[in-house]
Amino acid sequence: MKLGMERLSPWQVASLRMLCAGISLSPFFFRFIHKIPVKKLPLIFLSGLLGNFFPAFLFCIAEMQVDSGLAGILNGFTPLMTLVTGALLFNNAIIKRQLLGISAGLIGVVLLFASQGISTSYWYYGLWILVATVCYGTNINLVRRHLKDYSSVQVSAISLGFCAILALPVLLYTHFFALLSGPAVPWTSIGAAATLGILGSGIATVLFYFLISRTGAMFASMVTYVLPIVALGWGFLAGEHITLLQVLSLGIILGGVYLVNRK
């Protein structure tokens, strides 16, 4: 997102992300769209809005001012929002052990990013990320409750296909295609947004919906706590120094995941 917004607006990055995600799964969209009951299509469309379309824009707007550390912490609220929206909208029971595990994982995320330093300037932009986590939590419960009988490829391809259709007018309105005929085409930013769409939305959504159907809403939402671990792994491979506090934070995060999912 940061690389994409070096030369593109947040609206263009988010829209291009959705367009590329939909295109990457378009063969499956045309294969499965006629096999899904018509009454289920509105739910799949809603899943696309909550799980991908709205969060893509909300994160890009927030990342104009919020640094990656604060964004990572706020994104860590996704499991909690999954628990809360499940209770409020889907009548799911709140288990004390799960709440303790979520809290422990969130503490680990805070410690992890705090060890790297966090800028709280323009913190109110982070509210957009919190709204995105509410969208994520609602969508996870929606998929688990109403769409678990369909394959992750079916739901992902159709929902992202709808998102791509919605993203096209935004790209037209923001004059994105005029950039392609200009003297200095921002290929790096375009490539970043396209990669974000194909990997971060297309392939990731298929895998995530598969996880929801196989393991349940709460376990799937805990993927949020794995993101910092992956980020640190890439940092380690890039030669960055890993501190003892970071290792301790990872242990707390994994302990929280264990608490949530322990039988």
Side-chain angles (χ1 to χ4, degrees):
M1 281 186 277
K2 292 289 189 184
L3 188 58
M5 288 191 291
E6 286 183 359
R7 298 285 302 278
L8 299 175
S9 72
W11 308 98
Q12 290 172 333
V13 172
S15 300
L16 186 57
R17 174 181 184 173
M18 290 296 94
L19 182 64
C20 292
I23 291 175
S24 68
L25 297 178
S26 58
F28 301 102
F29 177 88
F30 292 108
R31 177 181 176 183
F32 294 125
I33 186 65
H34 301 294
K35 299 181 180 180
I36 301 293
V38 175
K39 65 180 182 180
K40 288 291 185 180
L41 291 179
L43 289 175
I44 295 179
F45 177 63
L46 180 61
S47 176
L49 292 177
L50 294 175
N52 285 283
F53 192 82
F54 291 149
F57 286 92
L58 291 169
F59 264 92
C60 280
I61 293 171
E63 292 264 357
M64 290 193 306
Q65 299 292 346
V66 173
D67 71 358
S68 298
L70 183 56
I73 290 174
L74 295 174
N75 193 38
F77 278 90
T78 296
L80 180 60
M81 295 305 179
T82 301
L83 194 67
V84 171
T85 57
L88 295 178
L89 302 178
F90 298 90
N91 297 317
N92 295 342
I94 294 181
I95 302 174
K96 182 179 179 181
R97 171 176 47 80
Q98 291 181 328
L99 192 57
L100 289 174
I102 290 172
S103 300
L106 187 58
I107 290 172
V109 170
V110 172
L111 288 174
L112 181 61
F113 283 108
S115 67
Q116 300 170 323
I118 302 172
S119 173
T120 56
S121 301
Y122 302 101
W123 60 268
Y124 44 86
Y125 271 80
L127 296 176
W128 295 116
I129 296 179
L130 288 179
V131 175
T133 63
V134 174
C135 292
Y136 283 147
T138 305
N139 179 58
I140 290 171
N141 284 293
L142 172 70
V143 172
R144 178 62 178 173
R145 179 67 63 88
H146 298 290
L147 300 174
K148 63 180 180 180
D149 294 330
Y150 302 95
S151 74
S152 60
V153 176
Q154 289 177 315
V155 178
S156 301
I158 296 173
S159 64
L160 288 173
F162 287 140
C163 289
I165 294 172
L166 291 177
L168 191 57
V170 180
L171 288 174
L172 291 170
Y173 182 77
T174 56
H175 308 291
F176 167 77
F177 295 103
L179 296 175
L180 302 180
S181 58
V185 181
W187 289 117
T188 301
S189 292
I190 291 173
T195 302
L196 192 61
I198 296 170
L199 297 180
S201 291
I203 295 175
T205 299
V206 172
L207 296 176
F208 189 58
Y209 284 178
F210 176 80
L211 193 62
I212 294 173
S213 65
R214 288 300 183 93
T215 65
M218 282 311 307
F219 183 85
S221 71
M222 299 298 280
V223 164
T224 304
Y225 291 158
V226 183
L227 300 182
I229 299 175
V230 176
L232 271 189
W234 283 114
F236 178 76
L237 292 177
E240 295 181 3
H241 177 64
I242 306 299
T243 67
L244 181 61
L245 178 58
Q246 290 173 332
V247 175
L248 176 63
S249 301
L250 297 183
I252 296 174
I253 291 172
L254 293 176
V257 174
Y258 172 76
L259 278 177
V260 168
N261 300 286
R262 180 172 58 88
K263 295 295 186 182

